[in-house]
Amino acid sequence: MSIFPATAAAKAAARSRTSASGARPGPRNQRSAYWFIAPLGLGFAVFYFWPLLQTLYFSFTEFGAFGGHTFIGTDNYIRVIKDVTVWQALGNTLIYCVIGLLALPVAIVVASLLNRRGLRGVSVYRALYFIPFVTLPVAVGLVWNWLYNGDFGLINEILSWFGVDRNYWVSDPSTAVYAIGTVMVWSTTGYYLVIFMAGVKGIPQDYYEAAELDGAGPLRRFLTITLPLLSPTIFFASVICMINSLQTFDLIYIMMAEKNPAIGDTQSIVGLFYKWAFIENAQGAAAALAFLLMLVIAALTYLQFRIQKRWVHYA
Amino acid sequence: MRRRTLLGGAVAAPLLAACSGGGGGTDSGGRTTLSYGMWDPAQLPGMEKIIAAFRKRNPQISVRIQLTPWASYWTTLKTSMRGGTAPDVFWMNAVNFQLYAANGVLEPLSGHIKADATPVDRHPKALVKLYSYQGTQYGLPKDFDTIGLWYNKQLFDKAGITYPDASWTWDDVRDAAAELTDPSRRVHGFAAEMDRQIKIYPAICGADGHVLENGRSGFGDERSIDGMRFLTDMIDRGWSPPQSAMVESVGRVRYWSEKVAMNYDLSAMAGQMYAVPALKDHGGIAVLPKGKRRATIIHGLANVVSAKSDKKAAAWKFVHFMAGREAAEIQARAGVTISSYEGTQDAWLKSMPEFDLEHFLEMQEYAVPYPSSKNTAVWENLQYPLLGAAFSGKGGIESAARTLGEQMDRALKEERDS
């Protein structure tokens, strides 16, 4: 997750350096540049590219329970395509993706509210919103399970004041996926908030002052200045957010007990991968599943890059 | 410079710790340190006492316990097996045994047993057999568990019902559950939880059905379905909380907090029940009520030696010691589980005099061994997702059970073919 901002910042720094000194990048400069990116390249090769190739290879094999494997061709892919639980998990994962994206509008609104001139204690608010993101998903899941609890949970208690029946939020198949999605949004909003606050800060105050002189209200200023000028940031955040939600696992793993009747309706692709690989000894099929997920992520990301041309304004 | 050494130390420290944690070879000075993998923190004090007793006889060998929580025990074990850092001796259960034995990662013990005259015949035959694979013994039982009926005497007194005893049938349980249920106080008569070992399997066997026989699933069998209907019927009638409620606070917890009057649970839970003052005072135990026939599920853990261990001689000494009378007596006195060594169970019975624990021993007579095959986890994983709706009060146990039976048969066939 941190790779993208880091490289973006590095690129920006590199750009400003060359333009400031006015030196054209000669072969000598280039060689030293490779030394600087070598650590990242090495890390990428060892931790991303090599496992990727391995996974691809393993997806065509069958594993023994304690090591050793045999080549079985495309059997794993056939199993993945035929298995109804895979399609159900894929559907659930796409629901998580849509719900996860809801964190963006929330973060944008909060970020622009925090950008008001004269607002005090901004860093306190920022910290408060950010804390859920740095809290371990295990802790988040456990605490929210208590809040959601159908017998003594706080949420049911509060709803009962308004005459709403108590509900087993995370164990009822009709609500479980949304209950978990809510927690996902809650715990990731802070991260996007920080990104958007940086984006909002980058918009010159002059625009707002000029708009104010012309009589534009706060909503008008938000819609015609903040949103368009923030669109590159929104695009970046939505790509990251989508990829993260598609890979969601830990929160569901903690919040959904094995005996939960809603388990089929909440299981994500990575959750299913875990079950196949580590519980049922089907590592080969799990590798095929992981590859399928990679293709889905690649396709959706490509789609986002195609669509961005229509709505992202680079000032 | 100073800063640099500090940083260097910070990096080196976890590396050193990791090396010593791996536990390779014999320690310097001819001493051996065995690692012993287990999952139950409640049994830690008892195991430590056994290790101390073992140490007294074998001063050269020390044993270090590796406690891994149940939720990740098998995943961790399998991964460490592949990586070569598995414990030398570890706990094994029936569900996983055949998978491990078939893949040759367990040390065969038959030769050692013969050579050292290990008192295997003093342990229940069914349990010893559970840990032999294709005629070779790979594990020695340490304890066993049966399922009994736990009930709350105070709630029974309040409702004016006589306590359950050996004459009880499923009809008696149903009648009592109806009487004991009090929706206004959110008290239920029974906890018909979706749990294979403590609820589903005993009910299936009690209805004269079966889970697995001759490599075929019994879930589609009419008698098995009758057994499961005994449970789901309780939920449909409101005498038991639905499964969705029991995910968030499990049946055991509801029994502890006196919100459930009757619950099927393991003998191994006796120690934890005993620690709850209210239950120590008025918690009762009876044999499981009779359905079509009398049945309960028996399961026990075994100690096994890793085939990849490089300290097998010492590991065997430890396993041999734990299969003997002395270790069994220490374990029984610790009061957590029933030790499997014949004649040592008295200490366990006496450890909790307020409880009628002898019912758990009585049930050995008609106890059915926990069903398992080579890749048990695959077909066990089918159960909860498929039965979930029926156990949540949505009905349809017949079709759910039949679908489960078909899918389990398919998994068993794949297991044979592989």
Side-chain angles (χ1 to χ4, degrees):
Chain A
M1 177 185 295
S2 61
I3 281 183
F4 291 96
T7 42
K11 268 186 207 151
R15 244 192 333 264
S16 67
R17 207 165 36 239
T18 44
S19 63
S21 64
R24 282 170 53 190
R28 205 186 147 74
N29 285 3
Q30 270 180 3
R31 211 173 301 144
S32 60
Y34 284 121
W35 281 110
F36 281 109
I37 58 168
L40 182 69
L42 197 71
F44 182 80
V46 173
F47 294 111
Y48 287 82
F49 198 65
W50 176 240
L52 178 79
L53 291 180
Q54 270 189 318
T55 309
L56 182 62
Y57 170 68
F58 288 148
S59 69
F60 294 104
T61 64
E62 188 173 22
F63 262 61
F66 301 92
H69 52 264
T70 46
F71 194 80
I72 55 162
T74 54
D75 284 10
N76 287 326
Y77 286 94
I78 293 168
R79 171 179 170 179
V80 165
I81 289 164
K82 272 190 178 167
D83 196 328
V84 281
T85 52
V86 170
W87 296 103
Q88 199 183 8
L90 189 63
N92 296 336
T93 307
L94 292 175
I95 294 178
Y96 288 125
C97 185
V98 172
I99 298 176
L101 284 170
L102 290 177
L104 300 187
V106 177
I108 293 170
V109 170
V110 176
S112 51
L113 286 179
L114 289 181
N115 193 39
R116 269 188 316 183
R117 260 173 306 161
L119 184 72
R120 286 166 45 166
V122 174
S123 53
V124 175
Y125 289 116
R126 201 166 41 188
L128 283 178
Y129 279 105
F130 201 65
I131 283 171
F133 181 70
V134 289
T135 308
L136 286 176
V138 177
V140 170
L142 288 175
V143 169
W144 274 89
N145 262 0
W146 284 79
L147 293 174
Y148 278 134
N149 189 292
D151 292 306
F152 49 79
L154 190 65
I155 291 172
N156 276 322
E157 207 55 48
I158 292 170
L159 286 177
S160 71
W161 300 344
F162 304 99
V164 179
D165 279 344
R166 58 180 62 243
N167 194 349
Y168 294 98
W169 298 104
V170 284
S171 334
D172 185 337
S174 57
T175 57
V177 75
Y178 305 104
I180 293 174
T182 308
V183 184
M184 266 171 63
V185 171
W186 176 82
S187 62
T188 52
T189 299
Y191 173 70
Y192 301 110
L193 178 71
V194 169
I195 295 177
F196 287 133
M197 281 187 75
V200 166
K201 281 261 157 54
I203 302 172
Q205 279 292 328
D206 315 3
Y207 294 174
Y208 291 104
E209 280 160 16
E212 220 173 333
L213 284 178
D214 287 340
L219 186 66
R220 185 67 193 258
R221 290 200 299 268
F222 174 75
L223 290 176
T224 51
I225 302 174
T226 312
L227 268 189
L229 289 177
L230 203 56
S231 58
T233 318
I234 297 175
F235 172 63
F236 162 74
S238 77
V239 171
I240 296 290
C241 179
M242 197 196 66
I243 294 175
N244 284 337
S245 333
L246 286 171
Q247 295 178 337
T248 186
F249 167 67
D250 36 18
L251 201 60
I252 308 167
Y253 180 73
I254 292 300
M255 293 185 73
M256 300 299 292
E258 186 200 7
K259 295 170 199 165
N260 195 318
I263 201 142
D265 301 88
T266 54
Q267 189 158 251
S268 68
I269 289 280
V270 184
L272 194 63
F273 165 83
Y274 171 80
K275 198 168 123 183
W276 284 8
F278 296 105
I279 299 173
E280 297 187 4
N281 296 314
Q283 282 88 348
L289 189 63
F291 225 78
L292 176 85
L293 178 65
M294 197 198 79
L295 292 180
V296 169
I297 291 177
L300 287 178
T301 309
Y302 174 75
L303 204 70
Q304 281 209 325
F305 270 89
R306 283 299 293 265
I307 297 174
Q308 62 127 351
K309 287 175 189 150
R310 301 193 186 166
W311 64 276
V312 178
H313 306 273
Y314 292 99
Chain B
M1 195 59 214
R2 189 182 163 77
R3 191 193 174 109
R4 198 171 196 177
T5 43
L6 266 176
L7 277 176
V11 172
L15 277 178
L16 284 174
C19 291
S20 61
T26 308
D27 295 3
S28 56
R31 291 195 37 193
T32 310
T33 305
L34 290 175
S35 47
Y36 181 41
M38 55 180 275
W39 64 72
D40 186 1
Q43 296 196 31
L44 209 51
M47 290 298 125
E48 274 164 356
K49 276 186 203 130
I50 292 176
I51 288 168
F54 174 68
R55 188 77 193 276
K56 222 174 266 166
R57 304 198 165 204
N58 301 277
Q60 296 302 338
I61 308 169
S62 54
V63 180
R64 201 185 44 235
I65 290 176
Q66 266 181 28
L67 188 72
T68 315
W70 167 254
S72 54
Y73 183 84
W74 298 104
T75 323
T76 313
L77 187 60
K78 219 177 288 164
T79 333
S80 60
M81 212 102 220
R82 258 180 231 153
T85 56
D88 302 299
V89 181
F90 53 89
W91 284 10
M92 178 51 67
N93 69 3
V95 174
N96 290 280
F97 168 71
Q98 293 191 24
L99 180 74
Y100 280 69
N103 280 287
V105 294
L106 300 182
E107 178 68 7
L109 302 180
S110 297
H112 293 292
I113 291 169
K114 223 175 183 178
D116 288 353
T118 313
V120 179
D121 52 329
R122 304 300 300 266
H123 296 269
K125 261 201 190 77
L127 275 185
V128 176
K129 218 182 142 210
L130 212 51
Y131 293 102
S132 81
Y133 181 75
Q134 295 183 345
T136 308
Q137 196 71 30
Y138 287 92
L140 291 173
K142 70 178 269 294
D143 57 26
F144 74 85
D145 251 328
T146 52
I147 319 291
L149 176 67
W150 295 80
Y151 61 94
N152 188 316
K153 289 179 183 165
Q154 202 173 56
L155 291 174
F156 269 75
D157 289 342
K158 237 181 246 169
I161 307 170
T162 50
Y163 301 151
D165 57 31
S167 72
W168 272 41
T169 64
W170 283 0
D171 286 329
D172 295 308
V173 176
R174 276 189 275 255
D175 292 344
E179 291 284 321
L180 289 159
T181 302
D182 181 355
S184 66
R185 288 169 47 238
R186 281 200 270 150
V187 169
H188 290 90
F190 189 80
E193 199 171 11
M194 182 168 68
D195 183 292
R196 59 178 79 92
Q197 188 184 2
I198 62 178
K199 305 277 160 69
I200 299 178
Y201 292 175
I204 286 178
C205 296
D208 203 21
H210 62 277
V211 177
L212 176 68
E213 223 169 63
N214 304 326
R216 297 269 303 165
S217 168
F219 273 99
D221 189 285
E222 284 308 318
R223 288 166 296 183
S224 302
I225 294 173
D226 275 344
M228 283 183 277
R229 202 183 288 117
F230 166 66
L231 298 173
T232 56
D233 185 53
M234 293 265 195
I235 293 165
D236 296 342
R237 291 173 189 249
W239 301 336
S240 160
Q243 182 58 27
S244 44
M246 281 186 289
V247 165
E248 300 185 12
S249 338
V250 296
R252 182 175 297 146
V253 171
R254 284 163 190 273
Y255 177 73
W256 278 337
S257 48
E258 306 192 72
K259 291 287 181 195
V260 151
M262 290 182 282
N263 190 32
Y264 283 15
D265 213 339
L266 292 164
S267 51
M269 286 301 133
Q272 289 185 44
M273 305 272 189
Y274 200 66
V276 181
L279 295 181
K280 184 178 173 182
D281 176 58
H282 54 258
I285 297 163
V287 296
L288 284 193
K290 191 178 166 193
K292 236 178 227 141
R293 68 182 183 101
R294 292 212 164 276
T296 188
I297 296 291
I298 186 169
H299 175 251
L301 303 179
N303 289 309
V304 295
V305 176
S306 163
K308 292 185 178 170
S309 165
D310 48 9
K311 298 165 228 173
K312 282 176 193 159
W316 164 249
K317 264 188 191 157
F318 184 51
V319 171
H320 172 76
F321 177 78
M322 287 205 289
R325 174 174 272 276
E326 191 184 348
E329 272 170 350
I330 297 172
Q331 185 175 248
R333 268 198 302 278
V336 178
T337 56
I338 312 178
S339 56
S340 55
Y341 195 95
E342 195 188 315
T344 59
Q345 289 112 359
D346 271 358
W348 182 68
L349 297 178
K350 280 181 198 139
S351 69
M352 288 169 264
E354 286 89 343
F355 282 175
D356 304 322
L357 295 172
E358 67 275 7
H359 293 312
F360 288 114
L361 301 181
E362 277 167 44
M363 282 187 283
Q364 274 183 86
E365 253 178 74
Y366 44 83
V368 180
Y370 190 93
S372 66
S373 71
K374 204 165 93 188
N375 211 347
T376 314
V378 173
W379 51 264
E380 278 196 341
N381 268 340
L382 297 168
Q383 294 166 0
Y384 296 151
L386 286 173
L387 298 176
F391 274 81
S392 300
K394 302 211 167 80
I397 185 68
E398 291 83 3
S399 62
R402 280 197 195 100
T403 312
L404 173 57
E406 284 160 23
Q407 293 201 15
M408 179 170 159
D409 275 335
R410 210 172 305 151
L412 287 167
K413 188 177 175 296
E414 263 175 47
E415 183 183 301
R416 276 194 300 274
D417 294 346
S418 70

